[in-house]
Amino acid sequence: MGLPFLGVGLSYRWDLNPHLARGNPGVDWLEVTPEQFLPLTPDSERRLDLLAKRYPLVGHSLELSVGSDGADAPGYREGLRRITQRTKSVWHGDHLCFTRVGDLPLRALTPVPLTDEAVATCVRNVRAAQADLGVPFVVENIAYLFHTPLNTLDEADFLRRVVEGADCGLLLDLHNVYCNAANHGFDPYAFLDRLPLDRVVQIHLAGGVTMEGLRLDSHSAPSPDEVWRMLEYVAPRCPVRGVNFEMDSDFPPFARLVEELARARAILQRCGASAA
């Protein structure tokens, strides 16, 4: 895709704004969730403009529902387009899932059935989203708690067929891989080996909790050691353009987040990832 190397960054959250609004030397770029700024108002436009002056920005939406043919909420895609253009987003991502059925919003990242028909739906919708937004597009592997009996493909094959068919990038969420491997009993490294790693544009780091025997992608803790080991493993094997850490709650002191980024930066440097 010929995308620039962004380095290591954070997912923007309002709780972090005091540390980010003036720029921070430990943060190279920001991932912005458009839903946090929609509908656009003079105040949300001002906040976006300020962030765009300080950092390269990448969009990461929640409601494109690329796994279904559900209708967008009124004005949603136009709002995404305006934000993408306003912030000069380097690329844009969303999740390989569905979040709407017809006009009904589900308010959850729901796994799609892993079938030939779903591959075709996702390919069609990703291509349309990429054309509508006018920037390169990446799809993210999600954490899931159940398998649908409709599945005829496995997840790695499904991911490969979607990104190759849509000619898009992969946003590889390593904590989601960790959660799925723990919950469904598979080898995460064998899974990584079967992914289209040549399509990896972005990597997510995150942490979560274990409750009642299930690993949850709650974005409420630092990354566990196994996620760091997976980053060490996969970074030399893919043309990653940016790594970012996602956190939604239970934020540690900001200096602790910067330490996480420094650790990721060192891994990228050791494996030779750079602007070259």
Side-chain angles (χ1 to χ4, degrees):
M1 289 186 179
L3 295 169
F5 179 75
L6 299 187
V8 297
L10 287 172
S11 294
Y12 176 81
R13 301 292 184 264
W14 181 248
D15 304 68
L16 304 178
N17 192 68
H19 306 282
L20 296 172
R22 297 180 180 178
N24 190 290
V27 181
D28 299 332
W29 63 282
L30 295 178
E31 180 188 72
V32 170
T33 300
E35 286 82 353
Q36 295 179 332
F37 297 89
L38 291 172
L40 282 173
T41 64
D43 179 65
S44 62
E45 290 178 342
R46 179 190 60 80
R47 289 192 289 121
L48 278 169
D49 291 346
L50 182 61
L51 293 175
K53 287 179 182 178
R54 307 297 189 203
Y55 307 94
L57 299 185
V58 165
H60 186 59
S61 56
L62 301 172
E63 294 289 342
L64 277 171
S65 198
V66 300
S68 74
D69 286 321
D72 293 334
Y76 177 67
R77 196 163 300 215
E78 176 58 28
L80 289 189
R81 186 184 301 112
R82 288 176 60 194
I83 288 176
T84 299
Q85 293 172 349
R86 190 177 192 97
T87 61
K88 297 181 173 60
S89 184
V90 184
W91 62 80
H92 187 89
D94 207 314
H95 306 77
L96 194 53
C97 69
F98 67 95
T99 56
R100 298 182 72 85
V101 177
D103 294 330
L104 176 67
L106 300 180
R107 308 302 184 202
L109 304 179
T110 308
V112 300
L114 306 181
T115 64
D116 293 333
E117 293 81 1
V119 168
T121 296
C122 293
V123 166
R124 181 173 64 251
N125 290 338
V126 169
R127 284 186 174 273
Q130 186 161 246
D132 288 345
L133 298 179
V135 294
F137 198 88
V138 298
V139 290
E140 177 184 351
N141 59 299
I142 69 166
Y144 54 88
L145 296 178
F146 62 89
H147 291 286
T148 169
L150 297 174
N151 289 355
T152 58
L153 304 169
D154 67 22
E155 186 187 8
D157 285 338
F158 187 84
L159 284 164
R160 176 181 295 278
R161 289 179 61 179
V162 170
V163 298
E164 291 179 350
D167 194 21
C168 69
L170 178 61
L171 196 177
L172 177 59
D173 189 306
L174 293 177
H175 190 254
N176 286 348
V177 174
Y178 174 72
C179 289
N180 293 339
N183 293 335
H184 302 291
F186 63 80
D187 179 349
Y189 296 93
F191 176 81
L192 292 171
D193 284 343
R194 295 185 57 238
L195 292 180
L197 295 180
D198 60 315
R199 293 277 180 168
V200 173
V201 170
Q202 182 181 347
I203 292 175
H204 270 173
L205 305 175
V209 297
T210 300
M211 296 179 63
E212 300 182 3
L214 289 174
R215 182 69 186 182
L216 303 179
D217 183 45
S218 59
H219 297 177
S220 60
S223 296
D225 288 342
E226 189 61 33
V227 167
W228 288 107
R229 284 191 284 271
M230 283 194 279
L231 180 63
E232 293 264 14
Y233 181 80
V234 79
R237 294 169 167 80
C238 64
V240 59
R241 301 286 84 194
V243 173
N244 69 293
F245 184 73
E246 291 186 292
M247 201 161 194
D248 295 335
S249 63
D250 297 331
F251 293 94
F254 191 77
R256 177 73 178 82
L257 292 178
V258 173
E259 289 174 3
E260 294 276 291
L261 299 189
R263 184 175 180 181
R265 184 179 290 110
I267 291 171
L268 294 181
Q269 289 173 344
R270 285 198 298 273
C271 74
S274 70

